[in-house]
Amino acid sequence: HLANNNKGKMAASLDQVIEEKTDTVALMSHSPFETDTELNKSMQTIDKGPFHVSQREAKTHQENLQHLCRICGGSFKTDPYKRSHPVHGPIDDEMQVLLRKKEKKAISWPDLLAKIFKIDVKGDIDTIHPTKFCHQCWTVVQKKLSNSPYEMFFPRRSPVEWQPHSSSCDVCGTSPRGVKRKKQVLNPQLSKKLRMVAGRVRKIRQIKNPKQVNQKSLMKKIASCKKIHLSTKILAVDYPSDFVKSISCQICEHILADPVETTCKHLFCRTCILKCLKVMGSYCPACHYPCFSTDLVSPVKSFLSIMNSLSVICPVKDCQEEVCLGKYCHHLSRHKEIK
């Protein structure tokens, strides 16, 4: 009797297990696609999150780069006029005039930046490198080309090395102020030497003979030839300063007009030296050697031919034509005829 009861219980439990299995199979057969789509949706939401964040960060990084200088890393927002120049564009007119004076050739900014800052911007990528440079770097280029003495603050010893966007990105953190520069340890001996040299130069500049200064200004007033003689600024080529001094009058400091030579081998404009000899006395204005109007002679022909071959830019408005100094009077007469 007990054995029959146990067999009945076992059969009932087996029937329940079979029914549960059939139910689960039926459920799986009814909604296999629903479970798949739900899983896919959850996976997509997980993947989309970081992708969108990284894409957004890359866009903001690129926008921040547009406000920074390619060379020094400074921000354009610090400039009150917000001036900037394209890295890959053609050279502006002002710089072209300067290059023409220096007898140098450069068509685009990449060539010029490579010469001055020793950087190659031709292989730049927009997502890593800025596409413009600041006006301060532009002035550095101008001063270096003109070889004029200047005290220009350049933020870095070398141009910035740009890196792709990362979690610890300097560009995104410091875009309004510009990229931070690393602290450079100064050599105390070198800085001391520089201070000593600067002090000596300052002392030399301060020590000027007031008599010499007054005498020069007085001689210029006596000559008063601004309207007659040509300034050295209209020379088409930026010649060395020593050469410019050799072709300019030592009284008025203009380009020699009808040049004459003294017995002590100094050159002056004829009208300037005659006026000075009449007012100041019979001596050379440069070295105070005895000099008379009868001693004045014209320089050698080779010097005069060099003078006449010098190219000069016409100072008349809307002309700006390059003319030889020998033909300048003829060129100026054309303007008078047109008027």
Side-chain angles (χ1 to χ4, degrees):
H1 184 68
L2 285 164
N4 287 329
N5 281 334
N6 288 330
K7 280 179 182 178
K9 284 177 183 177
M10 287 288 286
S13 64
L14 282 165
D15 290 335
Q16 280 180 359
V17 170
I18 289 157
E19 281 175 8
E20 283 174 6
K21 280 185 179 179
T22 51
D23 289 338
T24 52
V25 169
L27 280 164
M28 288 292 283
S29 63
H30 282 302
S31 63
F33 296 107
E34 285 175 14
T35 52
D36 287 343
T37 51
E38 282 172 7
L39 282 164
N40 288 332
K41 278 178 185 177
S42 64
M43 287 294 285
Q44 279 176 1
T45 51
I46 291 160
D47 290 338
K48 269 185 182 178
F51 176 73
H52 276 299
V53 169
S54 63
Q55 202 172 18
R56 206 183 303 122
E57 280 181 3
K59 276 186 179 179
T60 51
H61 177 77
Q62 200 166 350
E63 283 172 9
N64 290 332
L65 284 173
Q66 297 304 314
H67 301 291
L68 298 176
C69 173
R70 167 68 178 85
I71 299 158
C72 68
S75 177
F76 301 138
K77 291 174 184 178
T78 55
D79 184 10
Y81 301 103
K82 292 178 182 178
R83 294 165 293 183
S84 61
H85 305 272
V87 172
H88 298 285
I91 294 164
D92 54 282
D93 297 335
E94 197 176 338
M95 202 62 76
Q96 278 181 353
V97 170
L98 192 64
L99 286 165
R100 209 177 295 124
K101 271 195 169 187
K102 282 283 172 188
E103 295 180 340
K104 290 180 181 178
K105 288 182 180 179
I107 301 160
S108 61
W109 277 115
D111 300 331
L112 200 58
L113 294 173
K115 280 180 184 177
I116 289 161
F117 294 107
K118 305 288 185 278
I119 51 167
D120 185 20
V121 295
K122 287 178 181 177
D124 281 7
I125 304 162
D126 292 348
T127 52
I128 299 169
H129 304 93
T131 54
K132 294 176 183 178
F133 64 97
C134 64
H135 191 71
Q136 193 173 357
C137 293
W138 184 90
T139 50
V140 170
V141 174
Q142 189 189 32
K143 297 288 181 186
K144 280 194 175 183
L145 283 173
S146 58
N147 292 331
S148 59
Y150 68 99
E151 290 179 5
M152 180 59 64
F153 171 72
F154 189 64
R156 293 172 177 270
R157 284 186 182 177
S158 59
V160 182
E161 290 182 7
W162 299 94
Q163 302 295 333
H165 178 66
S166 61
S167 56
S168 59
C169 182
D170 292 332
V171 172
C172 297
T174 59
S175 60
R177 296 178 300 278
V179 179
K180 285 182 181 177
R181 60 180 186 272
K182 292 175 183 178
K183 286 183 180 179
Q184 292 168 349
V185 181
L186 290 168
N187 187 354
Q189 289 181 348
L190 186 68
S191 60
K192 193 179 177 182
K193 278 182 183 177
L194 287 167
R195 260 188 262 118
M196 284 169 72
V197 170
R200 283 174 190 169
V201 169
R202 214 176 288 117
K203 281 178 184 177
I204 291 160
R205 281 179 182 175
Q206 283 171 0
I207 299 162
K208 281 184 178 179
N209 193 348
K211 286 182 181 178
Q212 286 180 355
V213 175
N214 292 333
Q215 198 173 1
K216 271 196 171 185
S217 59
L218 182 64
M219 283 193 293
K220 279 183 181 180
K221 282 179 183 178
I222 291 162
S224 62
C225 57
K226 273 187 181 180
K227 292 179 181 179
I228 309 164
H229 298 160
L230 298 171
S231 173
T232 52
K233 289 177 182 177
I234 67 163
L235 288 166
V237 181
D238 190 11
Y239 294 110
S241 58
D242 292 333
F243 178 76
V244 174
K245 279 181 184 177
S246 68
I247 60 159
S248 57
C249 175
Q250 293 195 32
I251 295 168
C252 65
E253 294 178 352
H254 294 136
I255 297 167
L256 287 163
D258 189 12
V260 287
E261 192 180 344
T262 59
T263 48
C264 50
K265 302 292 179 184
H266 289 118
L267 291 164
F268 302 96
C269 302
R270 190 181 287 276
T271 52
C272 295
I273 187 70
L274 288 171
K275 281 178 183 178
C276 280
L277 289 173
K278 196 175 182 179
V279 177
M280 303 287 286
S282 300
Y283 61 87
C284 174
C287 64
H288 296 275
Y289 188 81
C291 178
F292 300 94
S293 57
T294 52
D295 298 332
L296 301 173
V297 291
S298 59
V300 289
K301 286 181 181 179
S302 56
F303 178 79
L304 292 170
S305 64
I306 290 163
M307 283 284 299
N308 291 328
S309 63
L310 292 171
S311 56
V312 177
I313 297 165
C314 180
V316 178
K317 284 182 181 179
D318 304 325
C319 181
Q320 301 295 314
E321 192 180 334
E322 284 188 21
V323 192
C324 290
L325 191 63
K327 296 176 182 177
Y328 177 75
C329 291
H330 180 66
H331 175 79
L332 200 65
S333 62
R334 283 183 190 174
H335 289 298
K336 285 177 182 177
E337 283 173 10
I338 291 160
K339 280 182 181 179

